[in-house]
Amino acid sequence: MAFTKVTEIIKESPAFAQLTDLAAARLGGKVLYATDDFFAEKENLIAPTRGIFIADKYTDRGKWMDGWESRRKRTPGHDWAIIQLATSGKIIGFDIDTNFFLGNHPPHASVEAAYLPDAPEDTNWETVAWKEILPKSHLDPGSQNFYECSSDEIYTHLRLHIYPDGGVARFRVYGEVFKDWNSVSTTEEIDLAAAINGGQAMACNDMFFSAMGNLIMPGRGVNMGDGWETKRNRTPNNRDWVILRLAHKGIVDRIIVDTCHFKGNYPDSCSIEACCSDTDNLENANWQILLPQQKLNADFIHEFGNEVQKGQVITHVRLNIFPDGGVSRLRIFGKIVR
């Protein structure tokens, strides 16, 4: 198995960083255990956004840090943490981010993985048959440390080792959701676009204020930053757009467009197009109207049923907003087609 260090101090994220973060807390990931989180809690590892720094903030244990930080080890060994992925999946790459950990970052890290779909949270993790998927690798201080992973196996749990101790701000596990579609009935309505089911934000013309991937996260947006928002566009008759690949080929029953928290910056209207394609190369795709142009309101859940052009078998959707603005969530409810 080959592993490649992508870069030293990253300026541009690698392509795999556009994939779903399988460990993300907001998707359902959990940090189940750490050998030591004396200075900063293990749960911070999978929190959204990069870690922050507050110069004068201290706790009764020392400097407050936005990440996972163990105490200085005075005995043999090293520290490690267990992460349960939000969903089983194939891992493409990692970001071991030491943002703001400068004199206290671990010099090296490694990652092991296991497929344990039914493991209880109080498992004895030292008895698990772990498989190394990232060997002991160098970490730069205050940096995103990207590494590729070439394993083709499906995993549910990871063990992040740091050598010997110190702090990691965030741990991102980028990959592809694995879902057993044979267990899903063709009569069951599901959110075909949801990230937890394997939906993926593929491309957009603008995401100046917030990322397109937020559209398909679970739950409603927690604030205005937790959505897809484009810059103000002064071009007459402008249209901003985002393309999503559905988790599975299907037929749409109803659609929800949620402008939660977008009050002075929601789009005036939206429409949705769809196509059926065997690939993500959509240059010559035959886009058809799925939802004709609809007026939108501020901070509101818009549900469309009768307005949807039903019966199309589709794999991708394109949400158009006029002329610009923010949408918190997009739900594409329908039934799979085998």
Side-chain angles (χ1 to χ4, degrees):
M1 188 183 297
F3 303 88
T4 306
K5 178 73 183 286
V6 176
T7 185
E8 286 293 325
I9 297 179
I10 198 72
K11 293 184 178 178
E12 251 182 70
S13 300
F16 66 67
Q18 296 302 314
L19 298 175
T20 301
D21 178 6
L22 301 175
R26 63 180 181 158
L27 198 62
K30 298 178 181 179
V31 183
L32 301 181
Y33 177 81
T35 52
D36 186 330
D37 59 353
F38 183 86
F39 285 118
E41 294 79 8
K42 61 187 185 299
E43 289 79 9
N44 293 331
L45 274 175
I46 57 174
T49 73
R50 294 190 73 190
I52 63 171
F53 185 79
I54 302 175
D56 297 323
K57 185 172 182 178
Y58 287 84
T59 73
D60 60 356
R61 294 194 173 190
K63 180 70 185 72
W64 178 89
M65 294 295 288
D66 188 10
W68 166 48
E69 186 181 2
S70 63
R71 75 193 84 196
R72 302 189 189 207
K73 187 165 287 294
R74 304 308 190 198
T75 58
H78 65 278
D79 290 316
W80 47 269
I82 301 295
I83 296 91
Q84 178 182 303
L85 302 182
T87 174
S88 56
K90 175 185 173 183
I91 298 167
I92 307 300
F94 305 100
D95 175 12
I96 306 172
D97 188 355
T98 57
N99 202 30
F100 295 112
F101 287 93
L102 301 173
N104 51 351
H105 80 290
H108 298 90
S110 69
V111 180
E112 295 176 309
Y115 181 70
L116 305 165
D118 301 315
E121 293 189 8
D122 60 353
T123 295
N124 183 347
W125 301 110
E126 295 191 85
T127 65
V128 169
W130 296 102
K131 179 175 181 179
E132 186 176 80
I133 59 172
L134 180 70
K136 189 174 181 179
S137 303
H138 173 76
L139 298 182
D140 289 314
S143 302
Q144 290 177 282
N145 295 271
F146 289 104
Y147 284 95
E148 292 178 345
C149 173
S150 61
S151 174
D152 288 328
E153 295 183 41
I154 303 301
Y155 300 110
T156 59
H157 291 72
L158 301 182
R159 179 157 68 163
L160 171 65
H161 298 266
I162 57 173
Y163 303 93
D165 54 41
V168 174
R170 298 290 187 267
F171 181 47
R172 306 299 186 204
V173 183
Y174 295 109
E176 299 168 357
V177 170
F178 173 78
K179 189 175 180 71
D180 180 9
W181 290 104
N182 291 324
S183 66
V184 179
S185 169
T186 55
T187 63
E188 177 185 348
E189 184 185 70
I190 67 167
D191 184 354
L192 295 167
I196 195 66
N197 290 327
Q200 181 70 49
M202 303 299 299
C204 66
N205 73 312
D206 187 304
M207 51 179 177
F208 186 87
F209 289 110
S210 50
M212 60 184 177
N214 292 331
L215 280 171
I216 55 177
M217 287 292 113
R220 297 194 75 194
V222 297
N223 53 43
M224 200 173 71
D226 186 17
W228 169 55
E229 185 182 2
T230 66
K231 68 173 79 74
R232 299 189 189 210
N233 194 297
R234 314 303 187 185
T235 306
N237 303 313
N238 182 67
R239 169 186 70 110
D240 288 331
W241 55 266
V242 59
I243 293 174
L244 307 177
R245 182 182 66 219
L246 302 184
H248 195 284
K249 183 186 296 185
I251 296 175
V252 177
D253 296 324
R254 58 190 179 95
I255 293 170
I256 290 177
V257 179
D258 188 357
T259 56
C260 185
H261 300 295
F262 291 100
K263 298 176 181 178
N265 51 351
Y266 66 98
D268 174 75
S269 60
C270 76
S271 70
I272 299 177
E273 300 165 284
C275 70
C276 188
S277 174
D278 292 332
T279 74
D280 290 329
N281 183 356
L282 304 177
E283 185 175 349
N284 298 312
N286 181 26
W287 292 102
Q288 301 290 322
I289 293 295
L290 180 64
L291 178 70
Q293 192 165 345
Q294 306 288 325
K295 288 285 288 184
L296 298 177
N297 297 308
D299 193 25
F300 190 78
I301 298 175
H302 308 77
E303 182 163 354
F304 304 106
N306 294 333
E307 301 87 348
V308 174
Q309 305 295 303
K310 298 182 175 69
Q312 304 177 52
V313 177
I314 64 171
T315 57
H316 296 73
V317 296
R318 179 165 61 191
L319 169 65
N320 304 300
I321 58 173
F322 307 92
D324 52 37
V327 175
S328 178
R329 296 290 188 267
L330 177 64
R331 307 298 186 206
I332 308 291
F333 290 103
K335 300 176 180 69
I336 67 170
V337 174
R338 299 228 186 266

